[in-house]
């Protein structure tokens, strides 16, 4: 192509780009500065030069780099400018830039660079279309390339359709389907077929719901790409289909029976997997139905697959994971649809159970010696299959999952192979959450199956037994503790004395789960032997053993002691004198980095024990404990210690709960850092989509860019608000010195949309703070007016019905504090009534809209709709309570009843098909 910029510009840019890819930080930094300066001074010239360089550079690396850089720069807004560089280009420059990119798209010889060109072209096309500038030349060239004799050109065309589906959305349906189907049946290239599959998925995903019936025929050739693939190719094709399975599961409904002939062989490990399909004959028969095995196999008396029987383990594992994820995604998206397919659930369950037993035998010694937080064997553990079983149970429920699971689990527990016994126990733990409602009916048999495994000769099986009991105690909370406490505590207490640290530490961890759902009277007869053994784990030297315990065992023993104290309450006082000195000793001496976790666990434990035994028992040690906390708080901050701040705030709150009014003198110590934490703003960053996700950040994709939210800071903010609730509720009028500051933080945070916990805590705090002000005679008219004005504003715009209920409760509680509606200005009274009318209308409209849904959609989404209606009913109930405070016969109370009647009342529907998340 002809040069579009002067040669000297090209020469200069070549040098700058060469410097950008160098490893020298100073040279690279100067090059970045040079790029920014050129773009600020003459953006058109250098963007065109960069685009030209992307088509003409001598090396693949530089052409690829130029395309990536162009993509990043085009829609970036320079400093102090609102418009992106793209928006500053003239029509002529835009036309030239597009022409250069189209040339790269059609003439670039390198596969890798061509794909980078596709990415840049799609980004440009999508952004241009969003600005009302369709790229007709790209559309025409892509359709031409789709018919090319060159496989790379065809692949590129379908990649463009995948990345920019708007290019084909407005064309005649028959034309689009014909092009896509031809690509799906490409006789020469599996890459073309995969690109066509991606394009087809994008097309179907972008199609309006009411138009799907006209394009469903595309599903046949899409699924017919699968049987002719080798093991190495299957994962990418299945992964491409999986998002469509999640978003449009109904498209797969006609094909489930045939998929079931194909997929189980991929997810169930087998010593004889049978012939593996190849790409030799990509759907030569065509046809309108996805079938497996393909018709050609039966017609010729042989499989279409001829090779690749010796696919290595890693390759087979990738296939298994991809097929499993596809089946799970369909199951989660439309549970009722897959429940009706005999064998679907069984196939997934058996695939998971068999794969869960694939633990390397030789790693047991390493596992025994490892700290659980730094266990190298964790990388080879089959986590994905446990998680898959959990997801399946939560999606389909106990009636679907328990029968196939327990047709295999008893045999696994009796297996001669410890890995299968381990897998059987971990499987029970994995399905407990989703099947809890049905599992309750068989709980006695399950306990009888699990408890003997605590005597298993293999330590990892005993560890799994602890995990299983711990999970059952969480997912069947209170039920299992009440009915089977004797069996469970007998085995757990005995296992606290297991010779292996990994096992006795996990038994202590399982005790935490048990204590969280146990009645105090049930626990008391076992308190002494539990505490005795936990103290022995914490300080074995006291019993004359002289053996240095592993630090993670001590940490776990302290954590479990804290939970036992919390559950046994005042009765724990008899053990107070044996434990509190040990904890204070840890806080006094555990100052080096390796003891950080032990120190914060000791802080937490001491705080919980203080609450459990009460202020009279705790009082003699309170001064020393508080002095140690203050010393820790005032020590030089260590940026690498990410736990300390969280545990300090939590422990101070526990001390406040234990001491009650006596804690007031320490408010000046704890409130300044707490208010700083509560004042934190949401930390939001926008960075390039290729950037890796950082710890403590949650990322979401927006307009092709990654938006990161620093969740760690937001969690600290939430904890601070929850601690304010504790201080204000515990100290009442004594909290008055911080009333004004707290209210200034709380009222705006009712609209802190980044974290629901912050908003819920704020809604609890408003009436508490008003009450504090009233009792201390520090409440002003301005505080009352500001509080109720903010509540009215929030009620008027709130879309989350769950939080709407909290807002109405907050309003009602605050109303009682100030003395009823007459204490409010008339504009506040009128405002909340008008806001309530709007909310009632919105709720009525939503319920009417749901009532018009097709019966099949209602049945498929029954659980979700039931939960939504339940939350709406809570909001209506709290709305009614507030109106009742204004007038026991308020006319809007009738409207609330009318809106409630508009509900689907799904609880009255036939429940023969069990819901998913039952526990």
């Amino acid at each position: 192509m002809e040069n579009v910029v002067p040669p000297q510009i090209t020469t200069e840019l070549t040098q700058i780009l060469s410097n950008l890819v160098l490893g020298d930080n100073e040279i690279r930094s100067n090059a970045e500065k040079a790029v920014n300066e050129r773009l600020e001074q003459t953006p058109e010239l250098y963007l065109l030069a960069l685009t030209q360089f992307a088509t003409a550079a001598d090396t693949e690396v530089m052409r690829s780099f130029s395309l990536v850089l162009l993509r990043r720069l085009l829609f970036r807004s320079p400093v102090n400018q609102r418009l992106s560089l793209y928006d500053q280009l003239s029509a002529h420059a835009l036309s030239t830039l597009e022409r250069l990119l189209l040339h790269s798209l059609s003439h670039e010889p390198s596969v890798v660079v061509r794909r980078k060109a596709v990415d840049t072209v799609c980004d440009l096309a999508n952004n241009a279309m969003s600005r009302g500038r369709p790229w007709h030349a790209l559309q025409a060239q892509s359709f031409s390339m789709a018919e090319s004799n060159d496989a790379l050109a065809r692949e590129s065309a379908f990649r463009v359709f995948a990345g920019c589906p708007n290019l084909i959305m407005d064309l005649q349906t028959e034309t689009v389907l014909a092009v896509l189907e031809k690509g799906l049946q490409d006789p020469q290239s599996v890459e073309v077929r995969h690109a066509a599959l991606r394009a087809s998925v994008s097309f179907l995903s972008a199609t309006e719901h009411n138009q799907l019936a006209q394009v469903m025929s595309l599903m046949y050739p899409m699924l017919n790409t699968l049987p002719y693939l080798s093991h190495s190719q299957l994962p990418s094709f299945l992964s491409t289909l999986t998002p469509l399975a999640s978003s449009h599961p109904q498209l797969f409904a006609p094909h489930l029976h045939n998929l079931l002939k194909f997929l189980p062989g991929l997810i169930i490990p087998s010593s004889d997997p049978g012939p593996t399909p190849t790409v030799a004959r990509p759907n030569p028969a065509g046809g309108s139905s996805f079938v497996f095995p393909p018709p050609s196999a039966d017609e010729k008396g042989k499989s279409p697959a001829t090779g690749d029987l010796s696919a290595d383990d890693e390759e087979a594992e990738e296939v298994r994971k991809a097929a499993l994820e596809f089946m799970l995604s369909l199951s989660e998206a439309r549970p009722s649809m897959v429940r009706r397919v005999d064998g679907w659930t069984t196939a997934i369950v058996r695939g998971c159970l068999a794969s869960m037993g694939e633990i390397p035998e030789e790693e047991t010694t390493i596992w025994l010696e490892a700290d659980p937080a730094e266990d190298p064997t964790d990388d080879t553990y089959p986590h994905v299959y446990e998680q898959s079983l959990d997801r399946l149970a939560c999606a389909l429920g106990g009636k679907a999952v328990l029968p196939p699971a327990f047709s295999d689990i008893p045999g696994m527990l009796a297996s001669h192979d410890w890995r299968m016994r381990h897998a059987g126990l971990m499987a029970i733990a994995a399905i407990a959450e989703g099947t809890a409602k049905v599992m309750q009916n068989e709980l006695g048999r399950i306990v009888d199956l699990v408890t003997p495994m605590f005597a298993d000769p293999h330590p990892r099986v005993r560890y799994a037994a602890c995990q299983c009991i711990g999970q059952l105690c969480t997912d069947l909370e209170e039920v299992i503790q009440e009915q089977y406490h004797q069996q469970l505590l007998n085995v757990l207490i005995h296992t606290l004395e297991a010779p292996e640290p990994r096992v006795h530490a996990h038994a202590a961890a399982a005790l935490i789960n048990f204590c969280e759902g146990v009645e105090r009277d049930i626990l008391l007869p076992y308190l002494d032997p539990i505490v005795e053994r936990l103290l022995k784990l914490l300080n074995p030297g006291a019993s004359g053993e002289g053996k240095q315990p592993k630090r993670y065992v001590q940490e776990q023993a302290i954590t479990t002691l804290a939970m036992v104290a919390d559950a046994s309450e005042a009765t724990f006082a008899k053990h107070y004198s044996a434990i509190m000195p040990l904890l204070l000793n840890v806080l006094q001496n555990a100052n080096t980095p390796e003891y950080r976790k032990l120190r914060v666990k000791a802080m937490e434990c001491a705080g919980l024990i203080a609450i459990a035994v009460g202020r009279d028992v705790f009082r003699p040690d309170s001064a020393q404990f508080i002095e140690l906390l203050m010393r820790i708080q005032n020590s030089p901050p260590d940026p690498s210690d990410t736990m300390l701040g969280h545990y300090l705030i939590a422990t101070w709150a526990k001390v406040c709960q234990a001491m009650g009014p006596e804690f007031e003198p320490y408010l000046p110590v704890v409130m300044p850092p707490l208010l700083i934490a509560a004042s934190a703003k949401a930390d939001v960053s926008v960075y390039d989509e290729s950037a890796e996700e950082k710890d403590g950040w949650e990322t979401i994709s927006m307009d092709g860019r990654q938006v990161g939210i620093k969740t760690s800071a937001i969690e600290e903010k939430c904890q601070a608000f929850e601690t304010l609730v504790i201080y204000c509720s515990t100290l009442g009028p004594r909290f008055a010195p911080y009333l004004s500051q707290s209210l200034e933080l709380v009222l705006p945070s009712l609209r802190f949309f980044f974290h629901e916990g912050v908003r819920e805590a704020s809604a609890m705090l408003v009436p508490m703070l008003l009450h504090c002000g009233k009792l201390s005679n520090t409440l002003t008219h301005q505080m009352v007016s500001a509080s109720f004005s903010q509540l009215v504003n929030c009620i008027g715009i709130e879309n989350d019905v769950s939080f709407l209920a909290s807002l109405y409760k907050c309003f009602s509680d605050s109303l009682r504090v100030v003395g009823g509606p007459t204490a409010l200005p008339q504009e506040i009274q009128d405002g909340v009534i008008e806001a309530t009318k709007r909310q009632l209308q919105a709720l009525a409209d939503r319920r009417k809209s749901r009532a018009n849904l097709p019966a099949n959609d209602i049945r498929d989404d029954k659980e979700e709709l039931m939960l939504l209606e339940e939350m709406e009913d809570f909001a209506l109930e709290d709305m009614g309570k507030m109106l009742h405070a204004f007038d026991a016969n308020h006319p809007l109370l009738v409207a609330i009843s009318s809106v409630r009647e508009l509900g689907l009342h799904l609880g009255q529907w036939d429940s023969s098909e069990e819901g998913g998340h039952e526990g």
Side-chain angles (χ1 to χ4, degrees):
M1 289 190 72
E2 78 283 2
N3 290 330
V4 297
V5 295
Q8 63 268 27
I9 299 295
T10 303
T11 302
E12 180 188 18
L13 184 65
T14 302
Q15 184 59 54
I16 291 173
L17 294 179
S18 299
N19 290 343
L20 274 177
V21 297
L22 291 177
D24 187 292
N25 288 334
E26 184 176 352
I27 294 175
R28 189 169 64 248
S29 178
N30 289 332
E32 290 171 357
K33 184 178 178 182
V35 168
N36 290 329
E37 288 175 352
R38 305 303 189 277
L39 289 175
E40 189 174 341
Q41 295 163 4
T42 50
E44 274 195 8
L45 188 61
Y46 280 90
L47 282 176
L48 289 177
L50 182 59
T51 311
Q52 178 177 282
F53 193 73
T55 67
D58 293 334
T59 66
E60 292 181 13
V61 170
M62 293 310 296
R63 294 198 302 277
S64 180
F65 176 67
S66 302
L67 287 163
V68 172
L69 185 60
L70 178 65
R71 186 180 176 198
R72 291 179 181 176
L73 294 176
L74 268 175
F75 297 97
R76 188 188 76 178
S77 298
V79 178
N80 300 323
Q81 295 187 32
R82 293 170 60 186
L83 293 177
S84 70
L85 293 174
Y86 173 88
D87 294 308
Q88 298 178 42
L89 297 177
S90 65
H92 175 72
L94 275 174
S95 178
T96 304
L97 186 146
E98 290 174 349
R99 180 164 51 83
L100 289 170
L101 285 176
L102 288 178
H103 182 271
S104 176
L105 183 65
S106 58
H107 291 84
E108 171 57 54
S110 163
V111 174
V112 173
V113 182
R114 181 84 71 107
R115 290 174 180 173
K116 291 288 192 300
V118 168
D119 292 340
T120 304
V121 162
C122 289
D123 211 29
L124 180 61
N126 287 326
N127 278 283
M129 288 185 202
S130 70
R131 289 162 167 78
R133 191 176 190 275
W135 194 352
H136 297 299
L138 173 62
Q139 185 183 56
Q141 179 169 311
S142 298
F143 272 94
S144 175
M145 290 170 65
E147 300 293 333
S148 170
N149 290 327
D150 176 37
L152 182 55
R154 297 197 301 277
E155 179 195 346
S156 300
F158 288 113
R159 281 179 170 266
V160 169
F161 295 148
C164 187
N166 283 331
L167 288 172
I168 56 177
M169 293 312 298
D170 295 331
L171 301 179
Q172 282 192 337
T173 301
E174 294 78 8
T175 302
V176 175
L177 293 182
V179 170
L180 293 175
E181 187 166 342
K182 186 174 181 180
L184 292 165
Q185 297 173 347
D186 193 279
Q188 296 176 343
S189 169
V190 72
E191 285 78 15
V192 173
R193 296 200 294 280
H194 187 218
L197 184 66
R198 291 177 58 197
S200 301
V201 167
S202 293
F203 172 66
L204 291 174
S205 299
T207 300
E208 295 290 337
H209 184 79
N210 58 3
Q211 300 293 318
L212 283 175
Q214 301 176 29
V215 296
M216 280 188 69
S217 61
L218 188 60
M219 291 297 296
Y220 298 115
M222 288 170 66
L223 293 173
N224 258 338
T225 60
L226 298 177
Y228 300 93
L229 298 170
S230 69
H231 262 87
S232 62
Q233 295 157 350
L234 269 168
S236 60
F237 277 67
L238 287 167
S239 297
T240 298
L241 284 167
T242 297
L244 187 66
S246 294
S247 62
H248 294 74
Q250 70 275 22
L251 294 175
F252 294 84
H255 312 283
L256 290 180
H257 289 283
N258 282 317
L259 282 168
L260 196 56
K261 298 174 185 176
F262 174 56
L263 294 169
L266 303 179
I267 67 170
I268 300 176
S270 170
S271 57
D272 179 20
T276 307
T278 69
V279 298
R281 303 193 65 214
N283 194 21
S288 61
S289 173
F290 166 68
V291 293
F292 187 83
S296 58
D298 294 335
E299 290 164 8
K300 299 195 175 185
K302 62 180 182 180
S303 167
T306 56
D308 212 15
L309 291 178
S310 59
D312 61 30
D313 292 342
E314 188 174 335
E315 192 174 271
E317 179 83 353
E318 290 306 309
V319 173
R320 198 188 316 171
K321 289 177 180 176
L324 184 59
E325 183 59 35
F326 174 75
M327 294 185 78
L328 279 169
S329 297
L330 265 179
S331 303
E332 290 173 323
R334 193 59 64 91
S336 61
M337 179 179 77
V338 302
R339 280 196 205 103
R340 293 191 286 264
V341 181
D342 289 340
W344 183 274
T345 307
T346 300
I348 299 176
V349 168
R350 288 190 173 162
C352 291
L353 291 178
S355 302
M356 283 168 64
E358 296 181 347
I359 303 172
E361 173 71 55
E362 66 278 5
E363 291 185 347
T364 295
T365 303
I366 300 171
W367 178 87
L368 282 169
E369 292 301 318
D371 183 323
E374 302 169 353
D375 185 356
T377 69
D378 199 51
D379 295 335
T380 56
Y381 186 82
H383 292 289
V384 66
Y385 303 109
E386 281 183 23
Q387 295 161 359
S388 297
L389 205 52
D390 174 37
R391 288 169 56 190
L392 184 73
C394 289
L396 303 188
K399 289 182 181 177
V401 173
L402 283 180
F406 275 91
S407 71
D408 287 350
I409 287 175
M412 295 170 71
L413 297 180
S415 171
H416 69 281
D417 185 344
W418 72 264
R419 293 172 297 183
M420 296 312 294
R421 301 196 301 275
H422 179 281
L425 290 165
M426 299 302 280
I428 296 173
I431 63 176
E433 181 185 6
T435 66
K437 186 176 178 182
V438 179
M439 187 182 278
Q440 286 184 28
N441 303 325
E442 302 294 333
L443 197 49
R445 292 175 58 196
I446 292 171
V447 169
D448 288 343
L449 275 173
V450 173
T451 49
M453 308 307 291
F454 280 84
D456 195 277
H458 201 285
R460 295 195 72 168
V461 176
R462 284 180 272 123
Y463 176 95
C466 294
Q467 174 68 24
C468 183
I469 290 300
Q471 196 63 50
L472 289 172
C473 287
T474 296
D475 295 327
L476 289 96
E477 189 173 301
E478 297 182 5
V479 176
I480 193 168
Q481 285 94 330
E482 181 183 345
Q483 297 179 14
Y484 303 100
H485 55 87
Q486 183 176 355
Q487 295 97 309
L488 301 188
L489 285 174
N490 283 344
V491 293
L492 287 175
I493 292 171
H494 176 73
T495 309
L496 289 174
E497 298 183 295
E500 305 89 357
R502 288 295 297 267
V503 178
H504 58 235
H506 212 51
L511 271 173
I512 291 178
N513 300 52
F514 181 90
C515 289
E516 285 177 337
V518 71
E519 291 292 330
R520 173 177 169 274
D521 292 341
I522 290 176
L523 181 63
L524 292 186
Y526 304 92
L527 184 60
D528 291 350
I530 290 174
V531 172
E532 176 190 329
R533 285 160 178 77
L534 289 173
L535 284 173
K536 194 173 177 181
L537 295 182
L538 179 61
N539 188 26
S543 60
E545 293 186 11
K547 186 178 179 182
Q548 180 62 34
K550 290 187 179 290
R551 193 162 54 249
Y552 73 82
V553 175
Q554 291 181 305
E555 293 162 359
Q556 184 60 66
I558 286 177
T559 306
T560 305
L561 279 168
M563 185 54 65
V564 171
D566 188 50
S568 57
E569 301 173 357
T571 315
F572 197 81
K574 62 188 291 188
H575 299 288
Y576 178 86
S577 60
I579 297 172
M580 187 59 81
L582 290 174
L583 299 174
L584 295 176
N585 183 55
V586 170
L587 294 178
Q588 181 78 42
N589 298 305
N591 300 315
T592 51
E594 66 268 24
Y595 289 105
R596 284 173 185 161
K597 188 174 181 181
L598 187 66
R599 181 173 67 173
V600 297
K601 290 295 182 182
M603 286 165 48
E604 178 185 53
C605 183
L608 282 169
I609 288 175
I611 294 173
V613 301
R615 75 184 70 159
D616 291 336
V617 175
F618 173 59
R619 190 177 287 114
D621 293 307
S622 61
Q624 183 186 359
F625 186 31
I626 289 172
E627 183 185 339
L628 288 168
L629 290 179
M630 291 170 63
R631 191 188 76 181
I632 293 169
Q633 179 170 295
N634 295 327
S635 60
D638 181 355
S640 64
D641 189 352
T642 56
M643 297 183 291
L644 182 58
H646 168 84
Y647 277 94
L648 261 176
I649 289 176
T651 303
W652 280 123
K654 291 178 178 67
V655 174
C656 176
Q657 289 172 285
M659 296 181 67
E662 296 174 22
F663 186 76
E664 182 187 359
Y666 303 104
L667 278 178
V669 174
V670 300
M671 285 301 294
L674 187 69
L675 291 171
I676 291 172
S679 303
K681 306 293 184 186
D683 194 348
V684 179
S685 294
V686 179
Y687 43 86
D688 186 78
E689 61 184 7
S690 61
E692 293 184 3
E693 187 168 327
K694 297 180 286 185
D695 286 343
W697 288 72
E698 180 181 331
T699 58
I700 56 174
S701 181
M702 293 178 63
D703 299 328
R705 295 182 298 179
Q706 294 283 50
V707 177
I709 303 170
K710 191 173 183 181
T711 52
S712 54
I714 295 177
E715 290 297 337
E716 290 169 11
K717 182 184 182 80
C718 181
Q719 185 197 22
F721 271 78
E722 291 169 346
T723 305
L724 284 174
V725 171
I726 292 171
Y727 288 162
C728 189
S729 61
T730 303
L731 297 172
R734 292 176 175 82
F735 190 72
Y738 300 94
L739 169 61
S740 179
Q741 283 176 280
S742 299
L743 207 53
E744 287 175 9
L745 281 171
V746 165
L747 293 178
S749 297
L750 289 167
R751 299 176 66 178
F752 188 80
F753 300 110
F754 294 104
H755 198 295
E756 199 62 37
V758 172
R759 298 213 293 163
E760 291 288 353
S762 298
M764 293 174 66
L765 274 164
V766 172
M768 287 182 184
L769 291 169
L770 294 177
H771 188 60
C772 166
K774 185 177 181 180
L775 293 178
S776 60
N777 294 316
T778 56
L779 187 64
T780 66
H781 289 297
Q782 185 180 5
M783 290 178 181
V784 173
S785 178
S787 299
F788 282 96
S789 295
Q790 178 72 332
L791 285 172
V792 170
N793 291 334
C794 291
I795 287 172
I797 63 170
E798 186 56 53
N799 294 318
D800 180 349
V801 291
S802 176
F803 188 61
L804 183 63
S806 300
L807 285 172
Y808 274 110
K809 184 178 187 307
C810 174
F811 195 100
S812 297
D813 292 346
S814 301
L815 201 58
R816 280 194 294 274
V817 171
V818 299
T822 56
L824 299 180
Q826 190 60 44
E827 61 267 23
I828 297 289
Q829 298 182 45
D830 296 341
V832 76
I833 297 301
E834 288 303 313
T836 299
K837 288 178 182 177
R838 292 196 300 274
Q839 287 290 357
L840 278 170
Q841 185 61 54
L843 285 168
D845 291 343
R846 286 179 212 158
R847 292 195 161 195
K848 288 175 183 175
S849 176
R850 287 200 293 271
N852 291 325
L853 289 172
N856 283 340
D857 287 358
I858 293 175
R859 184 172 289 106
D860 289 336
D861 297 328
K862 178 183 170 185
E863 294 82 23
E864 184 179 338
L865 292 173
M866 284 179 68
L867 180 60
L868 182 58
E869 286 210 344
E870 184 180 15
M871 290 190 295
E872 289 176 349
D873 285 340
F874 285 137
L876 289 168
E877 181 181 346
D878 284 305
M879 191 186 292
K881 289 177 181 177
M882 186 212 71
L883 289 170
H884 196 273
F886 277 86
D887 180 355
N889 298 307
H890 199 288
L892 286 183
L893 291 171
V894 177
I896 288 177
S897 298
S898 300
V899 173
R900 189 177 277 114
E901 287 303 313
L902 291 173
L904 295 170
H905 306 294
L906 291 166
Q908 301 169 14
W909 281 44
D910 173 29
S911 59
S912 59
E913 276 200 339
E914 178 192 352
H917 202 68
E918 313 153 311

